[in-house]
Amino acid sequence: SAATTRDELENDGVKPKSVANYEIFQKSLETAPLANIRDLLDFDSDRPSIPIEEVEPASEIMQRFCTGAMSLGALSREAHETLAIAVNRIGGKSNSGEGGEDIVRGR
């Protein structure tokens, strides 16, 4: 990979390298044993779907995302910074919590 930082790396969890890889993954989910509560859920609605034109744009929804005030020390430094970076990138809000930010991060 020509990536020099983590930000430049592709996220294979979002874009499979091929349709065949995704189909293998999808089949494994369908045939896997029940292991999580979500495996027991089946969603059915008695209401019609909302037309896509009436759905709020993702960019507007993302602005309402926020991380709670998680104290530095309650999470690892890496987790604390990753959450802040991710939420800021999508236009949400991050909160450093009590104890503030690591001094090293402000340099």
Side-chain angles (χ1 to χ4, degrees):
S1 171
T4 57
T5 68
R6 182 174 20 174
D7 297 338
E8 295 171 358
L9 292 173
E10 286 189 38
N11 184 342
D12 292 333
V14 175
K15 285 187 202 172
K17 293 189 185 290
S18 72
V19 172
N21 285 354
Y22 180 76
E23 288 173 353
I24 291 168
F25 168 72
Q26 187 176 23
K27 190 63 144 175
S28 73
L29 291 178
E30 292 170 0
T31 59
L34 300 178
N36 300 297
I37 291 175
R38 70 172 175 257
D39 297 333
L40 303 172
L41 300 175
D42 189 18
F43 295 98
D44 264 337
S45 178
D46 59 350
R47 296 178 284 173
S49 298
I50 299 171
I52 193 70
E53 297 79 29
E54 293 180 26
V55 176
E56 188 174 5
S59 59
E60 295 297 317
I61 295 170
M62 297 290 197
Q63 292 177 14
R64 295 195 299 269
F65 281 39
C66 64
T67 58
M70 293 173 275
S71 299
L72 183 61
L75 298 173
S76 69
R77 177 179 171 193
E78 293 81 9
H80 203 266
E81 290 179 8
T82 300
L83 284 167
I85 291 166
V87 173
N88 288 325
R89 281 188 183 164
I90 65 170
K93 299 169 188 72
S94 62
N95 185 335
S96 63
E98 64 185 62
E101 295 288 348
D102 189 341
I103 291 174
V104 174
R105 190 158 181 236
R107 291 185 184 162

